[in-house]
Amino acid sequence: AVTLMPSSGDRRGFTSSGTRAAAAAAAAQAQVSGDLSGVLAEVEALLSRGGTAPKDIADAAMALAYLQARGDRRVWGKLFEAAAAAKADFDAASLTSFLWAANTAGVGHFKTLYEMAGPAAKLLPSLSPAQLAVVVEALGAAGVNDTELLKAVSGRVVSKAGEFSAAQLAKVLAGFAAAGVPDVAMTKAVLAGLGGKAGADASAKDISQVLWALAKAGRADASVLPAMSKALGAKLSAADAPQDLLAGLWGLAQLGAKADVGLLSKAAGAVKGAVGDLSTEQQIYAAWSFALLGQADKELYSSLFTAVGAALSASADCVPVPVLACLAEAQLLVADRMGGQAPKLPEQVLNYALRMHSVVGDAAKVKAGSAGAAFRAEVAEATARAAGARYKPEIAAAVAALPKTTADGLPMEMAVDSLKVAVLPVDVASLSSSSPRVPLGPVLARAELLKARGYLPAIVAAPEFNAQPNATAKAKFVLAAIKAAGGNVTALEKKLNEPFDPYAE
């Protein structure tokens, strides 16, 4: 059976680079007309005869994609069955056309698409750069992470990056990111290519796709993000699809990059004029990204929150739960930045989003398992020691007192009221994969919310914290994090350095 590709269940993750939506829009703008029912009947008749040639399968898929026949699951299912049966006979052109059509239409059958990776690997030497880019992007969007194929693709891109255009490099990188396969060497080759000759021809869509891919891979490369942000603002035009733009904005927000002022202004204008063209999930990610990037535009948030509020009031389950967590953060960030002038979601929608935000936080702790729980417990104990606790009963009491709630109901896992500091334990998954390891968007959003409520957010990253040799060193590490956040810890440092005899009276 054919299934539409599901949204990602990750805590954060714009589920597509925007290219699929843009391609679908391009197909729609091509103004293809025809008798859809007649085409469907012809396709079914073709497939019912059996032994359909790959070219005919690809042509049929292309026709359905251009006629936007995504909803006819039965016909698409037969197409995938026929493709699976004929997979060994596909040539470069028919394979590229079929995968482009499936990706553009937004339909997929994972088993069939995964099996297409084998023929793609065999055809790799005959695929042109344009064909290779389409194939990798489509398979990646379907979640196919075939090791043999991607290793071969990486080798070709690294050794022959100069043969690829900016758009092709962006598609390949996005395909790897969507498949969940980080490839440092290929990423560096793509960025080098975009920084050279190919970069001059990069469109706003290409830049957005690369930013999205970097964010999915957690690569907060400080050496390239500012230039890419500026280039995106310079390249952005009215012809660019808002979905592509949002992918780039989400990438910048997720990586903690500072967006170019000109980009934010142009992007806000573009999104305000296209809110009705965005899905509810995209509208939420737009609000979250703009809010975290520091944009203050009453009209923008009013249009986004109005549309989102109406959609959720009509159907509370129209977006995944993790996206509702983004919505809660977006509303709080906007309210903190704009005060009484901030547009607001309907009260019942905001309350629902806040509850789901708590659910997502609890689920993340469960997903982290025993190792995650042990890390948080050690950070709590180190925080208690850093705040002056010495004896075991004192430490236990101090740990129990760490969870707090702000005046407006925002929960804090570890707060030291005497210092007005909130300690944030950050596991590896919430840090960038590139060095230095820096917090990603969700942690940054949390930090901004705490700052607005008068608490200094002290980031305690798991890799460095776990490397400390003993309890005292870990307490000193927490104090250093508090000091880096702006807290005055001179007295606490002195106390921690004093000799301590647990058996003294």
Side-chain angles (χ1 to χ4, degrees), residues 195-213:
K197 181 181 177 182
D201 300 324
S203 66
K205 181 176 76 172
D206 302 333
I207 298 168
S208 284
Q209 198 168 18
V210 170
L211 286 169
W212 176 85

Side-chain angles (χ1 to χ4, degrees), residues 115-138:
E115 290 176 352
M116 300 294 279
K122 292 179 181 179
L123 290 169
L124 188 62
S126 64
L127 292 175
S128 68
Q131 290 172 330
L132 183 146
V134 170
V135 168
V136 173
E137 181 188 36

Side-chain angles (χ1 to χ4, degrees), residues 23-386:
Q29 291 172 0
Q31 297 183 341
V32 175
S33 61
D35 177 12
L36 177 57
S37 60
V39 171
L40 291 173
E42 289 183 18
V43 170
E44 287 202 72
L46 173 70
L47 298 174
S48 65
R49 292 195 289 269
T52 311
K55 183 180 183 306
D56 294 331
I57 295 171
D59 288 345
M62 292 278 284
L64 294 183
Y66 273 110
L67 290 171
Q68 302 177 66
R70 170 181 177 174
D72 202 304
R73 298 162 63 92
R74 184 170 57 84
V75 176
W76 273 108
K78 290 184 176 181
L79 271 175
F80 279 110
E81 289 177 4
K87 61 180 180 290
D89 299 323
F90 274 82
D91 60 15
S94 57
L95 177 69
T96 303
S97 297
F98 176 75
L99 292 177
W100 178 90
N103 188 39
T104 299
V107 297
H109 184 257
F110 180 77
K111 182 176 182 295
T112 300
L113 291 172
Y114 193 91
E115 290 176 352
M116 300 294 279
K122 292 179 181 179
L123 290 169
L124 188 62
S126 64
L127 292 175
S128 68
Q131 290 172 330
L132 183 146
V134 170
V135 168
V136 173
E137 181 188 36
L139 291 177
V144 175
N145 56 359
D146 183 89
T147 304
E148 180 185 355
L149 172 63
L150 296 180
K151 183 178 180 181
V153 169
S154 175
R156 179 168 168 183
V157 173
V158 170
S159 62
K160 300 180 179 180
E163 296 180 357
F164 292 79
S165 69
Q168 292 157 4
L169 290 172
K171 288 179 180 179
V172 171
L173 191 61
F176 272 70
V181 179
D183 190 304
V184 175
M186 195 197 69
T187 300
K188 289 182 177 179
V190 169
L191 294 177
L194 291 172
K197 181 181 177 182
D201 300 324
S203 66
K205 181 176 76 172
D206 302 333
I207 298 168
S208 284
Q209 198 168 18
V210 170
L211 286 169
W212 176 85
L214 291 175
K216 288 292 284 186
R219 293 199 60 83
D221 294 285
S223 61
V224 299
L225 292 178
M228 294 188 73
S229 173
K230 189 173 183 179
L232 179 57
K235 299 275 189 176
L236 184 62
S237 71
D240 290 304
Q243 294 87 350
D244 286 326
L245 170 61
L246 289 181
L249 290 175
W250 175 81
L252 289 170
Q254 175 74 354
L255 295 173
K258 288 188 177 181
D260 181 72
V261 176
L263 165 62
L264 286 180
S265 179
K266 290 175 69 174
V271 171
K272 279 188 286 189
V275 169
D277 298 327
L278 304 176
S279 68
T280 303
E281 186 170 341
Q282 289 166 343
Q283 291 164 351
I284 292 172
Y285 275 124
W288 184 83
S289 300
F290 275 115
L292 193 51
L293 291 171
Q295 179 69 359
D297 188 316
K298 182 177 180 180
E299 185 181 348
L300 169 67
Y301 295 118
S302 179
S303 59
L304 288 170
F305 288 157
T306 297
V308 170
L312 287 172
S313 295
S315 177
D317 61 352
C318 65
V319 296
V321 170
V323 180
L324 291 170
C326 287
L327 178 61
E329 289 178 356
Q331 174 67 95
L332 294 176
L333 287 167
V334 171
D336 291 343
R337 179 171 293 276
M338 302 181 65
Q341 298 297 314
K344 295 182 180 179
L345 290 162
E347 184 176 0
Q348 71 275 17
V349 171
L350 176 58
N351 290 336
Y352 175 54
L354 289 171
R355 288 198 299 273
M356 293 304 101
H357 188 277
S358 297
V359 169
V360 169
D362 293 340
K365 293 177 185 177
V366 172
K367 187 176 180 181
S370 58
F375 164 60
R376 304 181 100 81
E378 288 193 5
V379 173
E381 182 176 328
T383 301
R385 289 179 181 275

